[in-house]
């Protein structure tokens, strides 16, 4: 369809309302505090004026926003005083995200985000479209990607083949979501965030809250004439109830976020649909997966489960959680191993042979916390503090931790995969294809040089800030030099993206 024949389309008539609500989110906390505390000032009038201005801007956006779908991409025209015209080729779009909260679902609309690799902001954001228009746009982007993939196929007949229906790779029933809530600590994160907001609200609201709780508990103990033992028992019971309440909150949050979770694959593209009140649909070409993070905490092991996340080439803006990252929020180890093996281009998982770190890696892991504890204990001893000797009691715990960490840690570079496993109580596996590496760093601290060790670090696109870095620590220095040289030469010779080899010491690895 030519640009002259492609009709321009508007957003949904209610788009101004959703735009206004999105802009008002930044005022939500001050407004709530205003209602709770009942404080009034002359600035309230300016706040009301700001709301009116935002409403006018939202209405103007609806009347000035146009888009049309062409054969090779999407054209977006927007702006009242400063107008812009953007052409987004389908080949540039890496992720199509459909977002529906409860209000969206009641109105039969969805917010659509067109994201590309390496961009913190979406290439196009349509707030909001009719649900059928959103689905049509999503299918057209996916269909264009599939057509290019079939056209580039070695089998010429594949270009005319009928697209296969999506394959279901993973779904999470209600029982798995309950396990996810019990394992995760999302409830504590919400409570911690609420306490942080109160701490920043002024008027010492957090201190007043804790004071009120303490006075209530003290008053109840006095009224009931409780003994010291009874008070201790009541405190323990309240602590248990608080833990149970936090776990129930975590289960509720898991249900809200991952209800109806379905991971499917079609024409080389992964898609996830999830959410109870807010439904999110995100898709991603499987070749855009840059790195993998497999985690297994203590509660994971008790339930016989693991969690799998991926880094994609799509850069996610701060506080945005709509991209496809949770590939398997919870699943059995066998299911996750099968999923990874299915998605990796080579049969490289599970790793066939793990290699140990430097024999003295546990000493290196122990050295820094032991030095810090010793210095703090000596300072307290100079002040004649009774806590000085008690700090040395932490050294056996650090020794035990370092020993177990070194025993469970290992690395592998084979079959086109760089992998490291680490941890003790909370274990993690971090790995990536060698062809996806963007940078290699050989580093050696003064302690490492003293002990004959070095660390290799690898950078990939789209690495999450909350994910552990892809690194192999505490390798024998000679072995680290050899691996650095081999990987740098292999990546440069493979014709991959330019590799930035960074050296974190003044000398080169070969010196």
């Amino acid at each position: 369809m030519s640009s002259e024949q492609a009709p321009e389309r508007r957003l949904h008539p209610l788009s101004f309302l959703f735009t206004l609500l999105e802009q008002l989110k930044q005022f939500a906390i001050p407004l709530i505090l205003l209602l709770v505390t009942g404080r009034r000032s002359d600035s309230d009038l300016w706040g009301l004026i700001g709301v009116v201005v935002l409403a006018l801007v939202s209405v103007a956006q609806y009347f000035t926003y146009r888009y049309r779908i062409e054969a090779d991409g999407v054209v977006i025209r927007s702006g009242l005083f400063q107008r812009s015209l953007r052409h987004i080729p389908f080949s540039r779009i890496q992720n199509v995200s459909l977002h529906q909260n409860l209000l969206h679902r009641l109105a039969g609309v969805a917010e659509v985000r067109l994201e590309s690799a390496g961009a913190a902001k979406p290439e196009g954001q349509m707030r909001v479209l009719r649900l059928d228009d959103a689905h049509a746009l999503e299918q057209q982007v996916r269909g264009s990607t599939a057509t290019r993939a079939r056209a580039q196929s070695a089998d010429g007949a594949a270009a005319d083949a009928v697209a296969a229906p999506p394959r279901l790779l993973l779904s999470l029933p209600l029982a798995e979501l309950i396990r996810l809530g019990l394992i995760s600590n999302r409830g504590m994160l919400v409570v911690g965030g609420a306490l942080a907001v109160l701490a920043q609200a002024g008027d010492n609201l957090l201190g007043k809250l804790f004071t009120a709780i303490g006075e209530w508990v003290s008053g109840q103990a006095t009224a009931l004439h409780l003994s010291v033992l009874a008070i201790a028992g009541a405190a323990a019971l309240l602590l248990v109830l608080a833990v149970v309440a936090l776990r129930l909150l975590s289960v509720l949050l898991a249900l809200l976020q991952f209800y109806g979770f379905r991971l499917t694959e079609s024409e080389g593209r992964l898609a996830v649909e999830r959410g109870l009140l807010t439904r999110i649909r995100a898709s991603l070409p499987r070749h855009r997966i840059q790195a993998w993070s497999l985690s297994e905490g203590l509660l994971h092991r008790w339930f016989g489960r693991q969690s799998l996340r991926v880094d994609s080439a799509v850069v996610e803006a701060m506080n945005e959680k709509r991209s496809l990252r949770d590939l398997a929020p919870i699943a059995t180890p066998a299911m996750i191993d099968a999923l990874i093996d299915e998605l990796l281009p080579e049969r490289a998982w599970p790793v066939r042979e793990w290699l140990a770190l430097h024999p003295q890696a546990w000493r290196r892991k122990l050295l820094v916390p032991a030095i810090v504890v010793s210095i703090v204990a000596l300072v307290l001893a100079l002040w004649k503090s009774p806590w000085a000797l008690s700090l040395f009691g932490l050294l056996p715990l650090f020794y035990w931790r370092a020993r177990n960490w070194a025993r469970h840690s290992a690395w592998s570079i084979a079959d086109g995969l760089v992998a490291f496993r680490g941890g003790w109580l909370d274990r993690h596996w971090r790995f990536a294809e060698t062809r996806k590496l963007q940078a290699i760093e050989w580093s050696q601290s003064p302690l490492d040089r003293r002990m004959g060790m070095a660390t290799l670090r690898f950078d990939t696109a789209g690495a999450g800030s909350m994910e552990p870095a892809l690194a192999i620590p505490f390798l024998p220095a000679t072995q680290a030099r050899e691996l650095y040289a081999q990987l740098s030469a292999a990546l440069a010779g493979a014709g991959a993206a330019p590799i930035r080899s960074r050296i974190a010491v003044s000398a080169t690895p070969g010196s």
Side-chain angles (χ1 to χ4, degrees):
M1 182 180 295
S2 66
S3 60
E4 292 80 5
Q5 296 173 338
E8 284 193 333
R9 307 180 186 181
R10 282 186 176 183
L11 301 175
H12 190 276
L14 291 178
S15 63
F16 78 92
L17 175 60
F18 291 94
T19 302
L20 176 62
L21 293 176
E22 187 69 23
Q23 293 173 341
L24 287 177
K25 281 185 178 180
Q26 56 185 322
F27 300 104
I29 293 177
L31 289 175
I32 292 174
L33 292 175
L34 181 65
L35 293 175
V36 172
T37 59
R39 290 177 298 171
R40 300 291 189 273
S41 65
D42 294 338
S43 61
D44 296 345
L45 178 60
W46 293 108
L48 181 59
I49 294 175
V51 171
V52 173
V53 171
L54 290 176
L56 294 176
V57 170
S58 303
V59 173
Q61 181 178 357
Y62 165 72
F63 283 106
T64 59
Y65 194 101
R66 300 286 191 277
Y67 76 96
R68 67 173 182 265
I69 303 175
E70 298 184 343
D72 61 341
V74 181
V75 177
I76 297 177
R77 179 166 61 91
S78 62
L80 179 59
F81 300 106
Q82 183 176 354
R83 299 182 180 180
S84 65
L85 182 67
R86 300 193 63 192
H87 178 265
I88 309 171
F90 288 137
S91 59
R92 183 175 174 82
I93 300 172
Q94 303 299 333
N95 180 38
V96 182
S97 175
L98 268 64
H99 175 79
Q100 277 188 298
N101 58 30
L102 186 58
L103 187 57
H104 286 100
R105 296 167 70 181
L106 291 175
V109 296
E111 177 185 338
V112 180
R113 295 162 57 93
L114 307 177
E115 299 170 332
S116 65
K121 294 183 178 180
E123 291 285 340
Q125 186 171 7
M126 302 174 183
R127 189 186 294 136
V128 292
L129 297 181
R130 293 177 178 86
L131 192 58
D132 53 350
D133 291 340
H135 287 166
L137 177 58
E138 180 187 28
Q139 291 300 324
Q140 190 155 356
V141 173
R142 293 185 183 182
S144 175
T145 302
T147 300
R148 292 195 307 272
R150 290 195 297 269
Q152 297 171 0
S153 169
D155 184 2
D160 300 324
V162 178
R167 294 187 302 119
L168 180 63
L169 300 180
L170 179 67
S171 63
L172 297 182
L174 183 60
E176 288 297 308
L177 295 178
I178 294 176
R179 291 189 184 94
L180 176 61
L182 295 175
I183 291 172
S184 68
N185 203 22
R186 291 178 173 85
M188 179 61 74
L189 294 177
V190 172
V191 173
L195 294 178
V197 170
L198 289 177
Q200 298 295 326
D203 286 349
N204 194 25
L205 293 180
L206 185 60
K208 292 179 179 178
L209 174 63
F210 284 120
T211 300
I213 293 175
E215 291 177 351
W216 180 83
V217 172
S218 176
Q220 292 296 319
T222 302
L224 297 175
H225 305 287
L226 297 179
S227 63
V228 175
L229 183 61
I231 293 176
L237 178 60
L238 289 175
L239 179 62
V240 170
L241 291 177
V243 172
V244 171
L246 287 174
R247 290 300 169 182
L248 291 177
L249 179 58
S250 297
V251 171
L252 176 61
L253 294 174
L255 290 172
L256 292 174
Q257 185 176 1
F258 293 108
Y259 181 82
F261 181 94
R262 285 172 54 86
L263 172 66
T264 58
E265 190 269 342
S266 177
E267 301 290 345
R269 195 175 190 91
L270 299 174
V272 161
E273 184 173 357
R274 60 178 174 84
L276 180 59
L277 300 179
T278 299
R279 295 294 291 176
I280 294 177
R281 294 176 59 180
S283 64
L284 181 75
R286 56 189 291 176
H287 69 272
R288 285 294 178 179
I289 296 177
Q290 303 297 307
W292 309 69
S293 295
L294 179 60
S295 59
E296 181 188 77
L298 185 60
L299 291 179
H300 280 93
R301 289 199 293 278
W302 288 355
F303 283 95
R305 297 295 186 272
Q306 292 177 334
S307 297
L308 178 65
R309 289 172 59 87
V310 295
D311 298 337
S312 69
V314 176
V315 179
E316 199 169 51
M318 186 176 296
N319 298 326
E320 292 289 350
K321 302 298 180 183
R322 301 177 187 178
S323 296
L324 201 164
R325 287 193 178 272
D326 290 289
L327 211 60
I330 186 171
T332 62
M335 294 175 65
I336 286 185
D337 286 345
L339 178 61
I340 298 173
D341 186 58
E342 168 74 19
L343 296 179
L344 282 176
E346 298 184 29
R347 300 295 181 180
W349 192 268
V351 173
R352 297 175 179 83
E353 182 181 4
W354 290 99
L355 303 177
L357 303 177
H358 192 286
Q360 301 300 316
W362 69 270
R363 292 182 184 273
R364 177 65 178 83
K365 187 73 173 178
L366 172 64
L367 195 57
V368 172
I371 291 175
V372 171
V373 167
S374 299
I375 292 175
V376 174
L378 289 176
V379 171
L380 292 178
L382 292 177
W383 288 348
K384 298 181 180 180
S385 171
W387 294 99
L389 292 178
S390 62
L391 283 180
F392 285 108
L394 296 175
L395 294 179
L397 179 61
F398 290 149
Y399 170 82
W400 189 30
R401 171 180 173 270
R403 277 289 195 179
N404 282 279
W405 178 89
R407 182 164 57 89
H408 289 106
S409 298
W411 64 276
S412 172
I413 303 179
D415 300 323
L417 201 69
V418 177
F420 175 75
R421 72 179 190 197
W424 169 36
L425 293 179
D426 290 337
R427 302 175 185 175
H428 66 270
W429 293 255
R430 183 77 167 157
F431 51 97
E433 299 172 60
T434 53
R435 63 189 181 92
K436 300 292 182 68
L437 300 179
Q438 301 293 317
I440 306 174
E441 176 181 311
W442 185 95
S443 64
Q444 194 178 50
S445 69
L447 287 176
D448 292 333
R449 288 198 295 272
R450 178 72 176 175
M451 304 182 72
M453 300 179 188
T455 295
L456 288 180
R457 293 187 177 87
F458 310 94
D459 287 347
T460 57
S465 59
M466 300 301 293
E467 304 299 335
L470 177 55
I472 305 177
F474 310 149
L475 287 171
T478 303
Q479 188 178 40
R481 293 188 186 100
E482 294 174 354
L483 291 172
Y484 176 90
Q486 292 172 7
L487 285 173
S488 297
L491 290 173
I499 302 299
R500 297 174 288 107
S501 300
R502 302 192 306 266
I503 310 302
V505 294
S506 57
T508 61
S511 63

